Amino acid sequence: MLCRKNVKDLTTDQKRRFVAAIVALRDARLHPSITHPGLQSRYDDFTRMRALAAMAYQSASSPADRGECPPAVFPWHRELVNRFERELQAIDPTVTVPYWDGGGERIVDPGWPDGTAPARSSPSDLTFWLTHANVDRLWSIWQMRRPDSVTRGAAPRADGRTVYGRRVWYDTDIPDVTLETPSVGFGDVPHALTTFRAARFRIKTYREVRLRVTTRPTAPFGAPMGTEFTAQPNENADHVVSFVWISFSAKEATPISSIVVQPYIVDSNGEYTGVPHSEFPVGPPLTVALTANVVRPIAHSESLVIHRWANG
């Protein structure tokens, strides 16, 4: 998957690629305008598109007819950013539009002599795309916090997630956690031996995810590695795999047990909870059934092997 990241978190190479794609899209020789070929660039088409939308808003007879009047302003700009991003990805498939949350990072615009983007809000300026990506990100958070809300003209949603474009996430999005092993079987375990198995979780994420065992297994099952597990994102993979480890110490009984695991994130900025550094659950608790079968050890297997070897 591709990820829209905070501009301050882009690597040097990611910044270089993004700026290079912008410069290329502004070159009328390489990417001519569709509306004014030979006179303008494809980048200029987006400036014109936004200007026409603003004119339509000003000339609308009522707020309900204004294409940029809330709530239509959010889906309209989401689609605009998506289309602009696709143009950049046609130049460099690794590029996404980063977002700027307004603090801590100087925005560089290759289209201006001194390299600093002016404080305006037009698609002709680099800051337009970064600020609108951030507005779109904040709208996504609002949608996640209010899943029952309906916004006129809203973008489609799949499995509770907003569809931004093709394989695109924000780095602040809520992860998708799938339990791949709803049951873990230890099989036949010889009496008095201890063995280990793991529940497997498939996680799509661009942020750290934690797994907490909220209901521990009953003996003779155990939690040998504790009750907290952490999965780190991998930008080069569509998903990561995390494990919750369980032990089983074989006794006479044939036991059955279970564990309950709650995936969660730490909401560092309080965007989902309203309280910085608080915990936010990722989906409902997940239950893993545990089974095992205790068998008697084969006490004479070693002597039998030696006897057969000695007698050829």
Side-chain angles (χ1 to χ4, degrees), residues 198-279:
R200 178 186 173 102
F201 296 81
R202 178 187 177 98
I203 305 174
K204 295 182 179 181
T205 185
Y206 280 97
R207 63 190 303 166
E208 181 182 272
V209 181
R210 302 183 184 184
L211 303 171
R212 173 179 292 149
V213 179
T214 56
T215 301
R216 297 172 66 101
T218 56
F221 294 95
M225 298 181 66
T227 58
E228 292 281 344
F229 300 84
T230 301
Q232 297 294 344
N234 182 354
E235 290 189 24
N236 298 317
D238 282 351
H239 69 277
V240 295
V241 175
S242 186
F243 300 94
V244 171
W245 287 92
I246 309 134
S247 63
F248 174 70
S249 298
K251 297 182 179 181
E252 293 297 338
T254 302
I256 297 175
S257 186
S258 65
I259 61 171
V260 177
V261 179
Q262 176 61 69
Y264 70 97
I265 61 170
V266 175
D267 191 13
S268 301
N269 298 321
E271 293 174 320
Y272 290 95
T273 62
V275 180
H277 306 293
S278 58
E279 296 179 0

Side-chain angles (χ1 to χ4, degrees), residues 77-90:
H77 279 95
R78 172 169 287 171
E79 181 61 20
L80 184 69
V81 173
N82 285 345
R83 294 188 180 219
F84 178 73
E85 186 173 65
R86 287 199 291 269
E87 294 287 345
L88 298 180
Q89 290 172 348

Side-chain angles (χ1 to χ4, degrees), residues 97-240:
V97 177
Y99 65 89
W100 180 49
D101 62 6
E105 181 73 5
R106 178 174 177 265
I107 303 301
V108 176
D109 189 335
W112 290 87
D114 64 355
T116 304
R120 301 199 307 248
S121 183
S122 165
S124 61
D125 307 321
L126 185 58
T127 50
F128 174 90
W129 301 106
L130 275 59
T131 54
H132 273 278
N134 190 50
V135 169
D136 185 59
R137 181 184 70 90
L138 294 175
W139 182 39
S140 174
I141 292 172
W142 182 88
Q143 289 178 303
M144 185 64 70
R145 293 178 64 175
R146 296 168 175 81
D148 296 331
S149 63
V150 177
T151 303
R152 180 167 61 89
R157 295 171 67 82
D159 298 328
R161 177 173 304 286
T162 301
V163 179
Y164 309 111
R166 296 176 297 180
R167 300 173 63 245
V168 174
W169 282 36
Y170 285 101
D171 58 2
T172 54
D173 276 350
I174 298 299
D176 282 344
V177 179
T178 302
L179 173 61
E180 293 193 326
T181 53
S183 63
V184 174
F186 285 75
D188 293 337
V189 183
H191 180 263
L193 292 184
T194 297
T195 188
F196 304 88
R197 296 287 189 274
R200 178 186 173 102
F201 296 81
R202 178 187 177 98
I203 305 174
K204 295 182 179 181
T205 185
Y206 280 97
R207 63 190 303 166
E208 181 182 272
V209 181
R210 302 183 184 184
L211 303 171
R212 173 179 292 149
V213 179
T214 56
T215 301
R216 297 172 66 101
T218 56
F221 294 95
M225 298 181 66
T227 58
E228 292 281 344
F229 300 84
T230 301
Q232 297 294 344
N234 182 354
E235 290 189 24
N236 298 317
D238 282 351
H239 69 277
V240 295

